[in-house]
Amino acid sequence: MKRGNSIWQEAYCKGGRAMFRSFKSDIQAVFENDPAARSKFEVIFTYSGLHAIWSHRIAHFLYRKRCFTLARMVSQISRFFTGIEIHPGAVIGERFFIDHGMGVVIGETCIIGDDVVIYQGVTLGGTGKEKGKRHPTIGDHVVIGSGAKVLGSFTVGEGSSIGANSVVVREVPPFSTVVGIPGKIVRSNGRRVADRLDHSHLPDPVVDTCRQLQAELDEMREQVERMKDKARQPVGSGGE
């Protein structure tokens, strides 16, 4: 019986050490992704996104130990103070960064890889009352812009970028850029956005189409003007 207790205590210790290592990497992620971060003291005491992530790591630790009610209590207290709701069952990797995180919602079966950045108002949710895996899987090095909604059980491939206010409801290949409602892939085949954090300068397929139509209209106007000029010339003025 004592041996069983010691194994249980050892498991808790290992889980706790891993959790505190994650705490350290989370602080480093803030400095890597936010140029406004000045000191560790400021980051630790003023970044609500960091507080939400740390609370989740504690809640997830309790969730894995089947302390479901206590885990949900930690999650709800964090939601009250930070405005960020992360279900204790969600699996979150290393160096996760939430910038200006008010309104962020992350579902129970969501899986998030390493070095992921999301902004305020992002929802990683489901599409109904289905059972089992019903939330998205986010690959490593993904950036999700403000207000974006990623809904359903599918994968957003590594290195991808989701534009602000996009609604994504289907698989996203690795190293792609998705914008619009519903989300459309506008950049893929290994080409990445140059600046991971500059999610306001993503391609807009609607604007691109309008520009193309405007260019064609300008060309047609030039052709009409040339035809008018040709029609104004005297007939037979060449050499009669």
Side-chain angles (χ1 to χ4, degrees):
M1 190 66 178
K2 291 183 178 179
R3 176 58 180 166
N5 288 337
S6 65
I7 293 174
W8 183 252
Q9 291 171 358
E10 183 179 354
Y12 264 94
C13 289
K14 287 183 178 179
R17 285 195 295 268
M19 184 171 61
F20 282 108
R21 282 197 299 270
S22 296
F23 283 4
K24 185 176 181 180
S25 67
D26 292 333
I27 295 174
Q28 186 60 35
V30 174
F31 286 100
E32 291 175 357
N33 292 286
D34 187 359
R38 294 179 177 85
S39 68
K40 286 186 178 180
F41 181 87
E42 178 186 48
V43 167
I44 291 171
F45 287 98
T46 66
Y47 275 64
S48 59
L50 183 65
H51 301 159
I53 294 168
W54 283 356
S55 297
H56 169 73
R57 299 210 187 278
I58 296 171
H60 184 66
F61 175 77
L62 295 171
Y63 189 88
R64 291 178 58 194
K65 303 303 178 184
R66 305 188 66 81
C67 302
F68 299 123
T69 301
L70 185 57
R72 287 305 299 269
M73 289 175 63
V74 172
S75 172
Q76 291 303 300
I77 292 171
S78 172
R79 177 179 181 270
F80 178 81
F81 284 105
T82 66
I84 299 169
E85 182 171 347
I86 308 176
H87 193 284
V91 178
I92 297 178
E94 300 292 326
R95 297 173 297 281
F96 181 48
F97 179 58
I98 303 175
D99 194 13
H100 303 290
M102 181 64 69
V104 167
V105 177
I106 299 175
E108 178 184 11
T109 61
C110 190
I111 300 174
I112 299 175
D114 297 334
D115 300 293
V116 172
V117 177
I118 66 175
Y119 292 81
Q120 69 271 20
V122 168
T123 298
L124 306 180
T127 56
K129 297 181 180 180
E130 64 272 17
K131 301 292 184 180
K133 183 73 166 71
R134 59 191 184 278
H135 300 102
T137 296
I138 310 299
D140 299 341
H141 304 284
V142 170
V143 178
I144 305 178
S146 304
K149 315 299 178 189
V150 185
L151 308 174
S153 179
F154 56 86
T155 299
V156 176
E158 64 172 319
S160 295
S161 296
I162 309 298
N165 294 316
S166 299
V167 178
V168 185
V169 293
R170 62 185 62 181
E171 196 93 2
V172 177
F175 305 108
S176 299
T177 300
V178 178
V179 298
I181 304 173
K184 297 179 178 64
I185 298 172
V186 295
R187 191 174 297 179
S188 190
N189 298 323
R191 298 176 59 193
R192 294 185 59 186
V193 177
D195 188 343
R196 299 181 66 235
L197 288 175
D198 196 11
H199 60 90
S200 63
H201 292 86
L202 298 176
D204 188 328
V206 176
V207 173
D208 291 344
T209 300
C210 290
R211 287 174 178 168
Q212 183 179 356
L213 291 173
Q214 184 64 48
E216 293 177 357
L217 182 59
D218 292 340
E219 185 179 352
M220 291 176 63
R221 284 175 176 169
E222 291 178 1
Q223 291 178 357
V224 170
E225 291 298 325
R226 287 196 296 267
M227 291 174 65
K228 287 181 179 180
D229 292 341
K230 187 175 182 180
R232 292 192 191 103
Q233 294 179 1
V235 178
S237 60
E240 292 187 358

